[in-house]
Amino acid sequence: MGDDSAAEASGGTGGAARAIDPEKITTSTRDPEVMAGQLGAWLAGVLPAGADPVVEELTSPQGNGMSSETLLVDVATTGESGRSTRRLVVRVAPPEAAYPVFPTYDLAMQHRVMGLVAEATEVPVPATHWFEADPGVLGGPFFVMDRVEGRVPPDVLPYTFGDNWVFDATDADRARLQGSAVGVLAGIHSITTATHDLGFLEAGQPGGTALERHLAHWEAYHRWVVGEEPSPLLAACFAWLRAHLPEDVGPDALSWGDGRIGNMLFQGFDAAAVLDWEMAGVAPAEVDLGWMVYLHWFFQDLATDLGAPGLPAMFRPAEVCDAYEAAAGRRPGNLRWHIAYAAMRHGVIMRRVTERSVFFGEAERPADIDDLIIHRATLAAMLDGSYWERLDV
């Protein structure tokens, strides 16, 4: 993706992770044929007598994540109307041998959160069915939900690179997509600590506010990731975050955690399903807004780094705040800290993802530990202040 000097000049990415071929990253170490048989036997025990379930197809979607595994499953069953096929999705915790990105995968929490969102809001989430805690069935706990038809903004290659439905859309359609995505966040944030008991989502970390506890949770994750090989850059990032905690934040609410358009299904340009709740927690709304803005700009920086125009008109902070205010009736606080928080948390994740690729022989370990972070130049530019001119925030 260009040399480091070019990355620094553009405020772009940089780091050894750029050498990874995203289409060759290991996302699963399980045998789908074995899993199909295991799942079919399990379904026979949870479906009504006489359902006679047969797993007709079990696949992983293109670009399947490296955290929980996602399986698309077609299951033939017998009901009152005869034989029919149900289209389901199964989310399975990864095996420890797969060098997991996160230390724990609380799928029971995700199942519970999706049920809460479905019950308390109009936010589109797939209908959830069964949760199975026994890892002996599929090699990890899992839950089953309905499959929703729709299209996803691609991550591989990112939608900012062109030749996909988002890039090829009109400005008006992309604005509609962005407004729908921001509206989803407003709906999720209508679930607050004042309206619902969200104690099961508290991070269990010290801090006088939800934001402080949220940051402490990510500091603990940072320590787990770096272990005995600390990252000077990430250490500086988390020191900066602690020293600049914002006060202009909204009420504590349900936080999606991984709120970005790549985790949504769209029908037309309207959100049809909200997916991937593994990072859910309690935080002010600005945390999710910062993540949504930054994850677009992460992809935008990748495109710029390669000399492509990308989609620089999307997810600009002022417009996102305008859309959120219109949907939620409250103006968010300034997003600069929260965008930096997103980028810095993402830096820890990307270090772990790159180390995972090294583990599977898909990347070489660099001499400079911070070259494990694909967007190290972005983090450095955020720390010295030069990054923010592009976003006017």
Side-chain angles (χ1 to χ4, degrees):
M1 297 184 182
D3 61 17
D4 287 346
S5 60
E8 290 170 4
S10 69
T13 53
R18 61 192 175 175
I20 299 172
D21 181 347
E23 296 189 26
K24 296 181 180 178
I25 294 176
T26 299
T27 59
S28 176
T29 57
R30 294 173 170 137
D31 185 329
E33 291 188 10
V34 172
M35 294 185 79
Q38 294 167 328
L39 182 62
W42 179 83
L43 284 168
V46 298
L47 289 170
D52 189 23
V54 175
V55 175
E56 297 178 324
E57 185 174 6
L58 184 151
T59 60
S60 295
Q62 185 177 9
N64 189 22
M66 288 168 285
S67 49
S68 326
E69 289 187 35
T70 300
L71 306 174
L72 306 181
V73 184
D74 290 348
V75 182
T77 61
T78 298
E80 293 181 359
S81 302
R83 202 74 174 158
S84 63
T85 297
R86 300 180 65 172
R87 295 168 63 80
L88 302 171
V89 176
V90 182
R91 294 277 291 188
V92 191
E96 292 184 5
Y99 206 96
V101 176
F102 296 106
T104 59
Y105 293 86
D106 192 345
L107 287 174
M109 175 274 289
Q110 295 179 44
H111 186 260
R112 182 174 177 182
V113 167
M114 292 178 70
L116 172 61
V117 173
E119 177 183 347
T121 76
E122 298 299 316
V123 172
V125 291
T128 54
H129 300 297
W130 312 280
F131 169 73
E132 177 56 68
D134 182 3
V137 179
L138 294 181
F142 64 92
F143 68 87
V144 182
M145 58 187 171
D146 281 346
R147 194 186 316 179
V148 177
E149 297 302 322
R151 53 187 183 176
V152 180
D155 287 354
V156 182
L157 286 168
Y159 61 87
T160 53
F161 279 62
D163 193 27
N164 62 79
W165 66 275
V166 178
F167 192 92
D168 295 339
T170 65
D171 290 341
D173 283 337
R174 281 193 294 269
R176 178 168 183 156
L177 180 149
Q178 177 173 308
S180 180
V182 174
V184 160
L185 291 187
I188 293 168
H189 299 155
S190 68
I191 300 175
T192 70
T193 54
T195 63
H196 292 81
D197 180 6
L198 300 179
F200 72 102
L201 287 170
E202 284 287 0
Q205 297 286 344
T209 67
L211 182 58
E212 289 175 317
R213 292 188 291 274
H214 197 273
L215 175 56
H217 170 76
W218 280 89
E219 288 170 329
Y221 175 65
H222 167 227
R223 291 191 295 271
W224 177 78
V225 167
V226 303
E228 300 299 318
E229 297 184 85
S231 159
L233 177 59
L234 292 176
C237 286
F238 278 89
W240 183 91
L241 290 168
R242 272 289 168 191
H244 296 85
L245 273 167
E247 296 182 357
D248 60 335
V249 296
D252 297 339
L254 172 63
S255 174
W256 179 4
D258 200 4
R260 60 188 186 91
I261 59 174
N263 282 335
M264 297 183 188
L265 285 166
F266 290 86
Q267 293 175 357
F269 294 88
D270 297 320
V274 178
L275 313 172
D276 293 348
W277 292 86
E278 64 200 19
M279 290 165 56
V282 178
E286 289 81 1
V287 169
D288 276 345
L289 289 166
W291 186 267
M292 182 170 282
V293 170
Y294 175 69
L295 265 293
H296 168 76
W297 282 87
F298 172 70
F299 286 149
Q300 175 62 26
D301 288 344
L302 290 176
T304 302
D305 226 20
L306 283 173
L311 294 169
M314 291 187 73
F315 290 100
R316 304 200 68 85
E319 295 176 0
V320 168
C321 287
D322 289 345
Y324 189 85
E325 183 177 18
R330 183 188 75 81
R331 184 78 180 178
N334 185 275
L335 293 184
R336 177 179 290 200
W337 186 92
H338 303 281
I339 295 169
Y341 186 34
M344 293 169 185
R345 287 182 288 151
H346 193 233
V348 187
I349 294 171
M350 292 310 300
R351 168 166 168 173
R352 180 68 177 179
V353 167
T354 311
E355 288 181 327
R356 189 177 189 274
S357 293
V358 172
F359 176 80
F360 284 110
E362 296 155 346
E364 294 184 4
R365 192 170 189 82
D368 184 340
I369 197 71
D370 282 335
D371 273 342
L372 289 166
I373 305 165
I374 188 173
H375 59 298
R376 65 171 298 177
T378 294
L379 299 184
M382 286 181 169
L383 290 174
D384 68 26
S386 60
Y387 182 83
W388 303 109
E389 294 179 2
R390 73 183 59 203
L391 291 184
D392 191 26
V393 61

